[in-house]
PDB file of all heavy atoms in Angstrom:
ATOM      1  N   THR M  77       0.005  48.405 -15.500  1.00 95.00           N
ATOM      2  CA  THR M  77      -0.697  49.626 -15.887  1.00 95.00           C
ATOM      3  C   THR M  77      -0.082  50.194 -17.158  1.00 95.00           C
ATOM      4  O   THR M  77       1.146  50.253 -17.283  1.00 95.00           O
ATOM      5  CB  THR M  77      -0.614  50.670 -14.753  1.00 95.00           C
ATOM      6  OG1 THR M  77      -1.156  50.081 -13.568  1.00 95.00           O
ATOM      7  CG2 THR M  77      -1.385  51.917 -15.091  1.00 95.00           C
ATOM      8  N   SER M  78      -0.934  50.604 -18.092  1.00 94.00           N
ATOM      9  CA  SER M  78      -0.428  51.168 -19.349  1.00 94.00           C
ATOM     10  C   SER M  78       0.174  52.555 -19.116  1.00 94.00           C
ATOM     11  O   SER M  78      -0.255  53.294 -18.227  1.00 94.00           O
ATOM     12  CB  SER M  78      -1.540  51.241 -20.395  1.00 94.00           C
ATOM     13  OG  SER M  78      -2.573  52.105 -19.969  1.00 94.00           O
ATOM     14  N   ASP M  79       1.165  52.890 -19.943  1.00 95.00           N
ATOM     15  CA  ASP M  79       1.823  54.185 -19.820  1.00 95.00           C
ATOM     16  C   ASP M  79       1.049  55.257 -20.598  1.00 95.00           C
ATOM     17  O   ASP M  79      -0.034  54.998 -21.139  1.00 95.00           O
ATOM     18  CB  ASP M  79       3.292  54.103 -20.252  1.00 95.00           C
ATOM     19  CG  ASP M  79       3.476  53.802 -21.735  1.00 95.00           C
ATOM     20  OD1 ASP M  79       2.531  53.959 -22.538  1.00 95.00           O
ATOM     21  OD2 ASP M  79       4.605  53.405 -22.109  1.00 95.00           O
ATOM     22  N   VAL M  80       1.598  56.449 -20.701  1.00 93.00           N
ATOM     23  CA  VAL M  80       0.944  57.579 -21.359  1.00 93.00           C
ATOM     24  C   VAL M  80       0.637  57.283 -22.829  1.00 93.00           C
ATOM     25  O   VAL M  80      -0.288  57.852 -23.402  1.00 93.00           O
ATOM     26  CB  VAL M  80       1.789  58.866 -21.200  1.00 93.00           C
ATOM     27  CG1 VAL M  80       3.095  58.761 -21.979  1.00 93.00           C
ATOM     28  CG2 VAL M  80       0.993  60.087 -21.622  1.00 93.00           C
ATOM     29  N   ASN M  81       1.387  56.355 -23.448  1.00 91.00           N
ATOM     30  CA  ASN M  81       1.168  55.982 -24.845  1.00 91.00           C
ATOM     31  C   ASN M  81       0.306  54.730 -24.993  1.00 91.00           C
ATOM     32  O   ASN M  81       0.145  54.210 -26.101  1.00 91.00           O
ATOM     33  CB  ASN M  81       2.507  55.765 -25.551  1.00 91.00           C
ATOM     34  CG  ASN M  81       3.313  57.032 -25.604  1.00 91.00           C
ATOM     35  OD1 ASN M  81       2.828  58.074 -26.010  1.00 91.00           O
ATOM     36  ND2 ASN M  81       4.563  56.964 -25.171  1.00 91.00           N
ATOM     37  N   GLY M  82      -0.235  54.229 -23.883  1.00 90.00           N
ATOM     38  CA  GLY M  82      -1.076  53.039 -23.917  1.00 90.00           C
ATOM     39  C   GLY M  82      -0.297  51.740 -23.948  1.00 90.00           C
ATOM     40  O   GLY M  82      -0.877  50.672 -24.078  1.00 90.00           O
ATOM     41  N   ASN M  83       1.029  51.813 -23.822  1.00 92.00           N
ATOM     42  CA  ASN M  83       1.870  50.612 -23.851  1.00 92.00           C
ATOM     43  C   ASN M  83       1.917  49.947 -22.480  1.00 92.00           C
ATOM     44  O   ASN M  83       1.851  50.618 -21.455  1.00 92.00           O
ATOM     45  CB  ASN M  83       3.306  50.968 -24.267  1.00 92.00           C
ATOM     46  CG  ASN M  83       3.367  51.575 -25.633  1.00 92.00           C
ATOM     47  OD1 ASN M  83       2.739  51.095 -26.567  1.00 92.00           O
ATOM     48  ND2 ASN M  83       4.114  52.657 -25.773  1.00 92.00           N
ATOM     49  N   TYR M  84       2.058  48.639 -22.482  1.00 93.00           N
ATOM     50  CA  TYR M  84       2.228  47.884 -21.249  1.00 93.00           C
ATOM     51  C   TYR M  84       3.110  46.679 -21.556  1.00 93.00           C
ATOM     52  O   TYR M  84       3.280  46.291 -22.714  1.00 93.00           O
ATOM     53  CB  TYR M  84       0.876  47.436 -20.661  1.00 93.00           C
ATOM     54  CG  TYR M  84       0.058  46.599 -21.605  1.00 93.00           C
ATOM     55  CD1 TYR M  84       0.204  45.222 -21.655  1.00 93.00           C
ATOM     56  CD2 TYR M  84      -0.850  47.183 -22.476  1.00 93.00           C
ATOM     57  CE1 TYR M  84      -0.528  44.442 -22.529  1.00 93.00           C
ATOM     58  CE2 TYR M  84      -1.604  46.422 -23.356  1.00 93.00           C
ATOM     59  CZ  TYR M  84      -1.430  45.058 -23.379  1.00 93.00           C
ATOM     60  OH  TYR M  84      -2.162  44.298 -24.246  1.00 93.00           O
ATOM     61  N   GLN M  85       3.686  46.107 -20.504  1.00 93.00           N
ATOM     62  CA  GLN M  85       4.579  44.955 -20.688  1.00 93.00           C
ATOM     63  C   GLN M  85       4.459  44.033 -19.492  1.00 93.00           C
ATOM     64  O   GLN M  85       4.432  44.481 -18.351  1.00 93.00           O
ATOM     65  CB  GLN M  85       6.016  45.443 -20.826  1.00 93.00           C
ATOM     66  CG  GLN M  85       7.008  44.324 -20.998  1.00 93.00           C
ATOM     67  CD  GLN M  85       8.429  44.838 -21.212  1.00 93.00           C
ATOM     68  OE1 GLN M  85       8.636  45.963 -21.619  1.00 93.00           O
ATOM     69  NE2 GLN M  85       9.388  44.011 -20.915  1.00 93.00           N
ATOM     70  N   PHE M  86       4.389  42.731 -19.798  1.00 92.00           N
ATOM     71  CA  PHE M  86       4.424  41.719 -18.752  1.00 92.00           C
ATOM     72  C   PHE M  86       5.844  41.204 -18.674  1.00 92.00           C
ATOM     73  O   PHE M  86       6.443  40.880 -19.691  1.00 92.00           O
ATOM     74  CB  PHE M  86       3.456  40.569 -19.077  1.00 92.00           C
ATOM     75  CG  PHE M  86       2.024  41.012 -19.125  1.00 92.00           C
ATOM     76  CD1 PHE M  86       1.379  41.188 -20.326  1.00 92.00           C
ATOM     77  CD2 PHE M  86       1.330  41.256 -17.945  1.00 92.00           C
ATOM     78  CE1 PHE M  86       0.059  41.592 -20.373  1.00 92.00           C
ATOM     79  CE2 PHE M  86       0.009  41.675 -17.980  1.00 92.00           C
ATOM     80  CZ  PHE M  86      -0.627  41.844 -19.197  1.00 92.00           C
TER      81      PHE M  86
END
Side-chain angles (χ1 to χ4, degrees):
T77 303
S78 63
D79 66 17
V80 68
N81 296 310
N83 299 315
Y84 58 88
Q85 179 177 338
F86 297 104

